[in-house]
Amino acid sequence: MSRVVHRFTRTVPEWRPRVTPVDLAEATPEQREALKITPSNTKVSDYVLVLAHDPETLSVRSPLFNAIMYDSGGMSRAEREIGAIGASIVNRCIYCAAVHASRHAQLAKDTAVTDELFARGEKAALPPREQAIFDFSVKLSQTPPAVTEADAACLREAGLSEAEIVDLILSTALFGWANRLMHVLGDPVRNDD
Amino acid sequence: MAEAAGSDSSLWQGALAGIAARTRGNIVAMSRKAEEAVTAPHDPGAFPARWRLAVAARIANLNGLADIAGHYLAGVSDPALRALAEPSAAGRDDRERAVLAFMDKVAAETRAVAAEDIEGLKAAGVADADIVRLCELNAFMSYQARVFAGLAILQGESA
């Protein structure tokens, strides 16, 4: 039996799709290309197999995702994860929050920040720089987005460069995208056995 | 690419995108390709390009971004489709009403989306592949709205 996970956690759950994933045996050439199926790479997650229903978008989204989260320069990878977590808390995407909180904990070698984020959500109290980054990501993730020039001033005051602010906007916005796939198309589940 | 949403006047070529392009030109270029994939795909499934543009405008409106809504609506001439850009428009038949209610909830009340919302789409006759297409359109527009809302507040300092 498996049960749906409703609380934020750094322990990454399973993901159970709400629509039928593409059957790899019946995938079209375009889907196989988007899935990057090669003889040595035939293991694909249900999540990616669900997204393969729209191969054109999947094939442009994957490199875009990697560039925003991992390209060198600008904001540190750990701080980009805070942008991702801020969006995921606003949108209550338990799965994305788990993946990116565990990644933040590894990169920053620290669990205090993500413990506080999961304990107090949007009201979390963090060190000044992390606080400015998180607060901005929460405001940008509202619908409509609730950021003003005063919020940009707060980020500069906390020591962020323009390039870092651009990266924070991009990582937060990217999770406005990712959350609307992961949280909408499936459930985070834990197997009891 | 067929009838892209303004290949010559992409939002990703404008002044706001230029702020991001100074450090992340590759990301701006990839975002533009993603916009084409959701608004003018080779295989649009059950949702043709003009309908997608109207719904893209609707999501921009839900995000308070009238300029972006106007950009997408410029590619739509049919008044019945243009009307769908207004979040108050419920849709023209049962299936479209179910689809638009779903799109509004995913765009604006994401955290409240639950399994029954997907079941509702299936009951309205929307195929699994089309559900994924709807989510990608919605999710991309939500990304784009936040990129431009964020860059807009940097504009004064770095213009």
Side-chain angles (χ1 to χ4, degrees):
Chain A
M1 267 307 285
S2 62
R3 59 195 164 77
V4 176
V5 181
H6 293 289
R7 297 172 69 95
F8 287 120
T9 170
R10 265 193 309 266
T11 307
V12 179
E14 303 280 306
W15 186 82
R16 186 175 64 202
R18 293 170 178 166
V19 300
T20 308
V22 167
D23 180 349
L24 208 42
E26 293 170 16
T28 66
E30 190 185 9
Q31 285 171 331
R32 295 180 70 86
E33 171 65 27
L35 290 164
K36 302 265 180 282
I37 299 300
T38 62
S40 62
N41 176 25
T42 54
K43 268 202 182 293
V44 187
S45 70
D46 272 349
Y47 176 61
V48 177
L49 286 169
V50 163
L51 299 187
H53 281 298
D54 183 350
E56 199 171 337
T57 306
L58 174 60
S59 64
V60 292
R61 197 187 84 95
S62 303
L64 176 57
F65 184 101
N66 290 334
I68 290 176
M69 296 308 287
Y70 309 128
D71 271 6
S72 60
M75 178 170 261
S76 74
R77 282 182 54 183
E79 288 180 342
R80 293 181 216 183
E81 300 291 356
I82 298 178
I85 297 164
S88 302
I89 287 177
V90 169
N91 295 322
R92 221 175 160 74
C93 184
I94 302 290
Y95 190 94
C96 292
V99 169
H100 294 277
S102 65
R103 207 161 281 169
H104 177 273
Q106 286 168 2
L107 290 165
K109 298 186 174 50
D110 165 63
T111 53
V113 165
T114 45
D115 282 347
E116 171 69 8
L117 287 174
F118 285 172
R120 301 184 58 194
E122 295 176 28
K123 301 200 162 46
L126 302 171
R129 186 172 161 106
E130 283 85 356
Q131 186 82 60
I133 291 170
F134 177 69
D135 289 349
F136 185 87
S137 72
V138 167
K139 285 186 175 180
L140 187 60
S141 299
Q142 307 299 317
T143 306
V147 292
T148 65
E149 286 177 16
D151 297 308
C154 283
L155 290 173
R156 292 185 190 107
E157 232 164 84
L160 276 77
S161 69
E162 295 299 297
E164 287 177 318
I165 297 174
V166 166
D167 286 351
L168 175 59
I169 292 166
L170 290 169
S171 62
T172 301
L174 179 67
F175 277 78
W177 185 343
N179 294 162
R180 284 175 177 81
L181 301 175
M182 192 70 89
H183 173 69
V184 173
L185 288 168
D187 286 296
V189 296
R190 197 82 73 199
N191 292 315
D192 285 335
D193 48 28
Chain B
M1 188 146 308
E3 53 179 5
S7 312
D8 301 312
S9 61
S10 168
L11 294 164
W12 296 96
Q13 288 185 310
L16 276 187
I19 297 170
R22 286 207 286 268
T23 49
R24 299 294 184 195
N26 59 331
I27 289 170
V28 170
M30 285 189 267
S31 298
R32 186 179 168 195
K33 276 177 70 178
E35 179 184 312
E36 288 179 5
V38 296
T39 57
H42 297 296
D43 177 5
F47 303 103
R50 301 298 179 201
W51 186 91
R52 288 167 180 257
L53 292 175
V55 172
R58 181 184 182 98
I59 296 170
N61 279 328
L62 286 168
N63 280 287
L65 298 167
D67 288 357
I68 294 182
H71 170 81
Y72 285 104
L73 267 190
V76 185
S77 52
D78 178 353
L81 281 179
R82 290 180 64 89
L84 301 182
E86 278 309 316
S88 58
R92 297 164 293 176
D93 57 33
D94 286 348
R95 180 172 164 282
E96 188 167 70
R97 278 189 282 278
V99 166
L100 292 178
F102 173 78
M103 292 299 263
D104 291 353
K105 188 170 183 179
V106 172
E109 299 166 74
T110 317
R111 64 163 63 197
V113 175
E116 49 265 34
D117 295 305
I118 297 291
E119 293 310 312
L121 282 183
K122 292 178 183 174
V126 183
D128 281 11
D130 287 319
I131 293 172
V132 176
R133 292 183 178 105
L134 289 173
C135 288
E136 288 280 20
L137 171 62
N138 198 306
F140 171 81
M141 284 304 301
S142 300
Y143 160 77
Q144 177 172 261
R146 282 163 185 79
V147 172
F148 286 113
L151 294 175
I153 63 163
L154 296 182
Q155 196 169 27
E157 287 295 319
S158 43

